Amino acid sequence: MTTIRDFMTEDHRRCDDVFAEVEQAVASGDWNAAAESFGRFHCGVLQHFTTEESLLFPTFEEKTGMYMGPTQVMRGEHVQMRELMAAAAESLAAKDADGYSGNAETLLIMMQQHNMKEENILYPMCDQHLAEESEALLPGLQASLAEAGK
Amino acid sequence: MQALLSFEQAPPIAAPFRFFLTAPLFSGLAGLLLVVNGGEIFASRWTPGALAVTHLLTVGFMLQVMLGAMIQILPVVAGANLRQPLRVAGIVHVLMLLGTLALAGGFLGVSEAAFPLAISFLGGGVIYFLLMAGLSLRGVPSTSATIAGIKRALLALLIAVMLGFSLTGGLEGRWPIPLLEVTRVHVAWGLGAWATGLLSAVAYVVVPMFQITPAYPAWFSRTFGIFLLAAVAAASLAVFGAVEWLAALLESTVVWLAAGYCATTLWLQSRSKRARPDTTQRFWRLAMLCGLVACALWGMVRLLPTLADDVAWPLLFGVLVLVGGFMSVISGMLYKIVPFLVWLHLQNRGQSRVVAPNMKAVLAEGKMTRHLYAHCATCCLLLLAVVWPSLLTRPAGLAMLVASAFLAHNLISAAGVYRHHAALVDARLAELAAGGAG
């Protein structure tokens, strides 16, 4: 059976792949391809955040009563990553390869350490506490994440 | 529950940084010792100079960075927070500094008090650290190969250090121990179960993370650390039981496991999706290649017993593993961890109202590359110095001094960016607060 951890982790990996696509395009100086890939990356990550903040986290908080716990920390890190993505988008629009590389590098590490906390700590907690709800929750998560592709 | 509540509390930046900033001092001292002593240091692995250099690198450089990094990663990777991290870091750091100097002094015969002081300081520092780390990990389930690997590595560190203490007493004739056998076991626990165990546990996380590679195969990350620890433990028993053929077989198993780890990592890195290898990745590749060459050297010596009596091979093996392997990989990781922590702490300090400089603005790629080249030159010169000691030991020591100076300069300049921007952030926030109040 698919767990919340497996499902959300898969979406992390999808975002990583598109991040790498942008970097490849910037490295080869193809700014149009970079802008197109970055658009998909930005959209995918923001939709992932929205899915968590509007669906997964509230369900977890309601069930466990932990409103100021890990979900709050994750929301704070989402804010930081939104800022880094905005800075990277600016560098990309200005065709500033060095600026993009600095912002993207920082975003990558921020994103990866955030993912690690979610994949190793928060998602397993979700699976543990939301065992009863997960059957109904997973299709909702799937539908919400799919919004990014539209 | 404790892990949960402490979820967000990354330790203050000063906790890990103090370890990172002073580590190059010890590799610099090792370089200086090579310059001062010259070729005689490479007469064998047992010369006082060679023992002092080995421990300046393993305890002064490697262990120091590893303890600093551990303080940082325990909360992030395992959700395990040290209580009062600044205090723990401060005490452990001072004890490590003094203990390493005393240990090197002991090997060099500076004073009779040196070894007892080294045991007190290093013993106090490492055991206090292990106690606090153990407390923070209490009740943390091993939900990932990394958490399980870190726990095993900490146990191995305790054993390696205890064996080290017994050796210092043995060297001084305080108690009778079989020095060669205990040294053999001490090296297996220190470099095998502790250093390789910790490196692999951390690599499961950071290799895919920094380089966007596929994850290590699950069967590999699940079993590698267990086999490594079991092989080291069994080899120790065989060594102490004087069953030489079994001891050699088990030690070779440890070496081939390490070779398997290096090869797997290189294979994963070849599948990195990053556009081009950055300095960190080049340090990693150098490390894994040196690891593989060291393992091949070990295999050759086992196949050609005439080589086993040659004093040069353990020295070549040591240079490849310590300088080419661990120092490279540690430098590569520092170049991701340090700029990221500077950015993260400035970003938090600025409360999203003052923008922090990104990682490349904290530490430019060119500065790191300069260190990489100096480090590569050090590795090559040291290997050649083993063959032509009288000619090349001093140039190798000088190269190590220069490489350590580059690393120190890079880390200090990153810390300088932090201090400078922290003051700017505070001033800007005060302005905003005054503006808001007005």
Side-chain angles (χ1 to χ4, degrees):
Chain A
M1 196 192 112
T2 310
T3 59
I4 294 171
R5 182 186 191 176
D6 292 341
F7 186 74
M8 297 302 282
T9 300
E10 246 176 63
D11 198 52
H12 284 165
R13 295 296 90 79
R14 266 195 295 276
C15 293
D16 289 350
D17 288 347
V18 192
F19 173 92
E21 270 180 40
V22 188
E23 197 177 59
Q24 299 279 0
V26 172
S28 57
D30 188 345
W31 293 101
N32 289 334
E36 188 274 325
S37 304
F38 188 83
R40 277 188 290 126
F41 168 74
H42 202 168
C43 194
V45 174
L46 290 180
Q47 194 55 41
H48 184 93
F49 291 171
T50 305
T51 303
E52 291 183 335
E53 290 171 4
S54 64
L55 192 56
L56 181 62
F57 293 176
T59 315
F60 174 83
E61 286 160 352
E62 207 172 302
K63 183 75 189 274
T64 60
M66 286 189 277
Y67 289 90
M68 299 309 290
T71 47
Q72 199 52 27
V73 183
M74 294 299 97
R75 284 193 172 93
E77 293 191 355
H78 288 172
V79 172
Q80 291 183 321
M81 283 184 279
R82 284 188 175 103
E83 286 167 10
L84 278 168
M85 281 193 289
E90 265 179 44
S91 314
L92 207 58
K95 299 188 177 172
D96 172 4
D98 286 345
Y100 179 77
S101 142
N103 287 317
E105 185 70 39
T106 317
L107 173 63
L108 176 68
I109 311 270
M110 181 72 212
M111 197 163 73
Q112 298 296 332
Q113 63 92 39
H114 172 83
N115 292 352
M116 191 169 64
K117 289 181 198 165
E118 289 189 336
E119 291 165 21
N120 289 338
I121 306 172
L122 182 59
Y123 296 158
M125 284 170 73
C126 287
D127 279 318
Q128 190 192 341
H129 291 283
L130 304 178
E132 289 165 20
E133 291 81 355
S134 75
E135 208 172 314
L137 189 60
L138 280 170
L141 294 174
Q142 193 163 20
S144 177
L145 289 178
E147 288 290 310
K150 290 181 184 166
Chain B
M1 265 312 163
Q2 190 210 340
L4 177 65
L5 294 170
S6 58
F7 195 63
E8 65 173 315
Q9 295 164 6
I13 196 166
F17 262 40
R18 69 187 62 218
F19 292 93
F20 302 160
L21 286 170
T22 49
L25 178 72
F26 291 99
S27 54
L29 276 176
L32 190 65
L33 207 57
L34 290 167
V35 172
V36 172
N37 280 22
E40 69 190 56
I41 232 170
F42 279 143
S44 91
R45 66 183 280 211
W46 306 106
T47 62
L51 289 168
V53 166
T54 302
H55 288 84
L56 283 168
L57 297 180
T58 50
V59 182
F61 188 89
M62 284 167 53
L63 182 57
Q64 227 194 139
V65 177
M66 285 164 154
L67 292 183
M70 196 78 103
I71 291 175
Q72 181 63 40
I73 64 170
L74 278 174
V76 181
V77 174
N81 268 3
L82 291 173
R83 284 179 210 158
Q84 299 182 299
L86 255 188
R87 205 179 103 154
V88 174
I91 294 171
V92 173
H93 182 237
V94 170
L95 291 171
M96 292 296 298
L97 287 181
L98 296 172
T100 311
L101 291 173
L103 186 64
F107 285 123
L108 295 171
V110 172
S111 153
E112 280 188 5
F115 275 140
L117 279 176
I119 292 184
S120 316
F121 290 138
L122 287 177
V126 172
I127 288 167
Y128 176 54
F129 172 83
L130 286 171
L131 203 65
M132 299 312 282
L135 278 176
S136 76
L137 279 164
R138 202 175 46 174
V140 173
S142 298
T143 49
S144 70
T146 298
I147 300 176
I150 287 175
K151 288 179 180 173
R152 278 191 295 266
L154 288 171
L155 172 72
L157 174 64
L158 178 67
I159 295 172
V161 169
M162 298 308 253
L163 288 164
F165 296 159
S166 74
L167 279 168
T168 57
L171 274 177
E172 290 184 309
R174 281 174 205 272
W175 44 72
I177 55 163
L179 282 175
L180 285 181
E181 285 77 5
V182 180
T183 304
R184 207 167 146 185
V185 174
H186 168 66
V187 173
W189 283 96
L191 290 182
W194 156 245
T196 308
L198 179 67
L199 176 64
S200 59
V202 172
Y204 303 148
V205 172
V206 298
V207 168
M209 173 169 165
F210 292 157
Q211 295 155 22
I212 319 186
T213 71
Y216 282 80
W219 64 266
F220 182 90
S221 49
R222 240 195 342 260
T223 55
F224 175 78
I226 297 170
F227 282 130
L228 184 72
L229 188 76
V232 169
S236 310
L237 293 177
V239 169
F240 288 136
V243 190
E244 181 49 39
W245 67 270
L246 186 60
L249 183 72
L250 288 163
E251 280 172 340
S252 296
T253 308
V254 173
V255 171
W256 293 120
L257 280 169
Y261 161 74
C262 292
T264 308
T265 306
L266 279 173
W267 170 68
L268 289 175
Q269 285 174 334
S270 72
R271 297 174 64 196
S272 164
K273 290 181 182 149
R274 308 268 343 231
R276 55 174 73 101
D278 59 8
T279 309
T280 292
Q281 192 159 349
R282 287 150 85 196
F283 266 119
W284 264 90
R285 286 185 181 174
L286 172 67
M288 296 303 117
L289 282 173
C290 286
L292 277 180
V293 175
C295 295
L297 178 68
W298 177 284
M300 258 171 56
V301 172
R302 289 289 167 273
L303 287 176
L304 304 168
T306 45
L307 281 178
D309 298 327
D310 192 326
V311 291
W313 94 261
L315 291 165
L316 286 174
F317 186 81
V319 169
L320 284 166
V321 172
L322 299 183
V323 185
F326 284 108
M327 280 184 78
S328 303
V329 85
I330 285 172
S331 302
M333 282 200 267
L334 280 176
Y335 285 149
K336 288 285 184 217
I337 298 169
V338 166
F340 178 70
L341 288 182
V342 168
W343 173 82
L344 183 69
H345 284 271
L346 286 174
Q347 179 71 16
N348 286 337
R349 200 175 180 119
Q351 301 164 16
S352 294
R353 287 188 285 173
V354 188
V355 177
N358 68 48
M359 285 169 67
K360 297 266 166 83
V362 172
L363 190 50
E365 194 75 23
K367 285 181 162 182
M368 300 186 254
T369 312
R370 191 176 60 173
H371 171 221
L372 171 68
Y373 292 151
H375 179 72
C376 285
T378 308
C379 294
C380 294
L381 282 168
L382 276 171
L383 290 173
L384 293 171
V386 173
V387 186
W388 294 289
S390 55
L391 192 67
L392 288 173
T393 303
R394 289 198 163 89
L398 196 63
M400 188 176 257
L401 255 177
V402 171
S404 303
F406 282 152
L407 175 61
H409 177 259
N410 290 345
L411 298 178
I412 290 168
S413 71
V417 169
Y418 175 77
R419 266 195 302 274
H420 176 70
H421 277 270
L424 286 180
V425 166
D426 292 349
R428 181 76 189 120
L429 287 180
E431 262 175 44
L432 287 172

